[in-house]
PDB file of all heavy atoms in Angstrom:
ATOM      1  N   VAL A 345      74.275 181.379  82.586  1.00 86.00           N
ATOM      2  CA  VAL A 345      73.631 182.396  81.746  1.00 86.00           C
ATOM      3  C   VAL A 345      72.507 183.093  82.526  1.00 86.00           C
ATOM      4  O   VAL A 345      72.340 184.351  82.506  1.00 86.00           O
ATOM      5  CB  VAL A 345      73.032 181.777  80.457  1.00 86.00           C
ATOM      6  CG1 VAL A 345      72.264 182.777  79.677  1.00 86.00           C
ATOM      7  CG2 VAL A 345      74.195 181.235  79.602  1.00 86.00           C
ATOM      8  N   LEU A 346      71.737 182.309  83.274  1.00 86.00           N
ATOM      9  CA  LEU A 346      70.590 182.890  84.023  1.00 86.00           C
ATOM     10  C   LEU A 346      71.048 183.772  85.198  1.00 86.00           C
ATOM     11  O   LEU A 346      70.241 184.518  85.733  1.00 86.00           O
ATOM     12  CB  LEU A 346      69.663 181.776  84.518  1.00 86.00           C
ATOM     13  CG  LEU A 346      68.906 181.007  83.436  1.00 86.00           C
ATOM     14  CD1 LEU A 346      67.992 179.967  84.052  1.00 86.00           C
ATOM     15  CD2 LEU A 346      68.096 181.941  82.535  1.00 86.00           C
ATOM     16  N   SER A 347      72.319 183.641  85.560  1.00 83.00           N
ATOM     17  CA  SER A 347      72.842 184.457  86.662  1.00 83.00           C
ATOM     18  C   SER A 347      73.056 185.939  86.204  1.00 83.00           C
ATOM     19  O   SER A 347      73.198 186.838  87.054  1.00 83.00           O
ATOM     20  CB  SER A 347      74.163 183.895  87.186  1.00 83.00           C
ATOM     21  OG  SER A 347      75.205 184.022  86.205  1.00 83.00           O
ATOM     22  N   ARG A 348      73.026 186.167  84.892  1.00 79.00           N
ATOM     23  CA  ARG A 348      73.197 187.516  84.369  1.00 79.00           C
ATOM     24  C   ARG A 348      71.875 188.227  84.307  1.00 79.00           C
ATOM     25  O   ARG A 348      70.837 187.598  84.176  1.00 79.00           O
ATOM     26  CB  ARG A 348      73.820 187.450  82.953  1.00 79.00           C
ATOM     27  CG  ARG A 348      75.196 186.903  82.850  1.00 79.00           C
ATOM     28  CD  ARG A 348      75.523 186.686  81.436  1.00 79.00           C
ATOM     29  NE  ARG A 348      76.915 186.338  81.242  1.00 79.00           N
ATOM     30  CZ  ARG A 348      77.436 185.971  80.059  1.00 79.00           C
ATOM     31  NH1 ARG A 348      76.627 185.932  78.995  1.00 79.00           N
ATOM     32  NH2 ARG A 348      78.707 185.620  79.967  1.00 79.00           N
ATOM     33  N   PRO A 349      71.888 189.532  84.337  1.00 78.00           N
ATOM     34  CA  PRO A 349      70.685 190.306  84.104  1.00 78.00           C
ATOM     35  C   PRO A 349      70.151 190.059  82.693  1.00 78.00           C
ATOM     36  O   PRO A 349      70.902 189.743  81.773  1.00 78.00           O
ATOM     37  CB  PRO A 349      71.105 191.767  84.285  1.00 78.00           C
ATOM     38  CG  PRO A 349      72.368 191.678  85.061  1.00 78.00           C
ATOM     39  CD  PRO A 349      73.054 190.369  84.678  1.00 78.00           C
ATOM     40  N   ALA A 350      68.862 190.173  82.524  1.00 73.00           N
ATOM     41  CA  ALA A 350      68.251 189.923  81.228  1.00 73.00           C
ATOM     42  C   ALA A 350      68.816 190.817  80.133  1.00 73.00           C
ATOM     43  O   ALA A 350      68.985 190.388  78.973  1.00 73.00           O
ATOM     44  CB  ALA A 350      66.728 190.053  81.327  1.00 73.00           C
ATOM     45  N   GLU A 351      69.091 192.084  80.471  1.00 75.00           N
ATOM     46  CA  GLU A 351      69.603 193.020  79.465  1.00 75.00           C
ATOM     47  C   GLU A 351      70.971 192.564  78.972  1.00 75.00           C
ATOM     48  O   GLU A 351      71.269 192.664  77.740  1.00 75.00           O
ATOM     49  CB  GLU A 351      69.742 194.425  80.082  1.00 75.00           C
ATOM     50  CG  GLU A 351      68.421 195.050  80.479  1.00 75.00           C
ATOM     51  CD  GLU A 351      67.912 194.528  81.817  1.00 75.00           C
ATOM     52  OE1 GLU A 351      68.714 193.801  82.470  1.00 75.00           O
ATOM     53  OE2 GLU A 351      66.761 194.835  82.210  1.00 75.00           O
ATOM     54  N   GLU A 352      71.808 192.088  79.877  1.00 73.00           N
ATOM     55  CA  GLU A 352      73.105 191.650  79.473  1.00 73.00           C
ATOM     56  C   GLU A 352      73.064 190.385  78.592  1.00 73.00           C
ATOM     57  O   GLU A 352      73.779 190.263  77.627  1.00 73.00           O
ATOM     58  CB  GLU A 352      73.976 191.348  80.693  1.00 73.00           C
ATOM     59  CG  GLU A 352      75.434 190.967  80.374  1.00 73.00           C
ATOM     60  CD  GLU A 352      76.264 190.739  81.606  1.00 73.00           C
ATOM     61  OE1 GLU A 352      75.795 191.090  82.709  1.00 73.00           O
ATOM     62  OE2 GLU A 352      77.354 190.147  81.457  1.00 73.00           O
ATOM     63  N   ARG A 353      72.101 189.469  78.939  1.00 69.00           N
ATOM     64  CA  ARG A 353      71.928 188.282  78.145  1.00 69.00           C
ATOM     65  C   ARG A 353      71.529 188.642  76.717  1.00 69.00           C
ATOM     66  O   ARG A 353      72.036 188.092  75.746  1.00 69.00           O
ATOM     67  CB  ARG A 353      70.850 187.347  78.769  1.00 69.00           C
ATOM     68  CG  ARG A 353      71.260 186.754  80.067  1.00 69.00           C
ATOM     69  CD  ARG A 353      70.400 185.502  80.369  1.00 69.00           C
ATOM     70  NE  ARG A 353      68.994 185.748  80.301  1.00 69.00           N
ATOM     71  CZ  ARG A 353      68.231 186.076  81.381  1.00 69.00           C
ATOM     72  NH1 ARG A 353      68.842 186.170  82.548  1.00 69.00           N
ATOM     73  NH2 ARG A 353      66.952 186.281  81.243  1.00 69.00           N
ATOM     74  N   ALA A 354      70.587 189.616  76.618  1.00 70.00           N
ATOM     75  CA  ALA A 354      70.120 189.996  75.300  1.00 70.00           C
ATOM     76  C   ALA A 354      71.242 190.683  74.493  1.00 70.00           C
ATOM     77  O   ALA A 354      71.363 190.472  73.261  1.00 70.00           O
ATOM     78  CB  ALA A 354      68.928 190.950  75.452  1.00 70.00           C
ATOM     79  N   GLU A 355      72.026 191.480  75.146  1.00 69.00           N
ATOM     80  CA  GLU A 355      73.114 192.215  74.456  1.00 69.00           C
ATOM     81  C   GLU A 355      74.146 191.190  73.932  1.00 69.00           C
ATOM     82  O   GLU A 355      74.584 191.327  72.769  1.00 69.00           O
ATOM     83  CB  GLU A 355      73.789 193.193  75.430  1.00 69.00           C
ATOM     84  CG  GLU A 355      74.922 193.971  74.795  1.00 69.00           C
ATOM     85  CD  GLU A 355      75.554 194.880  75.808  1.00 69.00           C
ATOM     86  OE1 GLU A 355      74.987 195.112  76.882  1.00 69.00           O
ATOM     87  OE2 GLU A 355      76.670 195.398  75.479  1.00 69.00           O
ATOM     88  N   ALA A 401      77.901 184.871  88.371  1.00 42.00           N
ATOM     89  CA  ALA A 401      77.588 186.259  88.012  1.00 42.00           C
ATOM     90  C   ALA A 401      78.848 187.138  88.204  1.00 42.00           C
ATOM     91  O   ALA A 401      79.156 187.966  87.361  1.00 42.00           O
ATOM     92  CB  ALA A 401      76.462 186.761  88.893  1.00 42.00           C
TER      93      ALA A 401
END
Side-chain angles (χ1 to χ4, degrees):
V345 174
L346 294 182
S347 68
R348 296 170 172 173
E351 297 79 8
E352 184 179 346
R353 293 200 304 267
E355 180 181 347

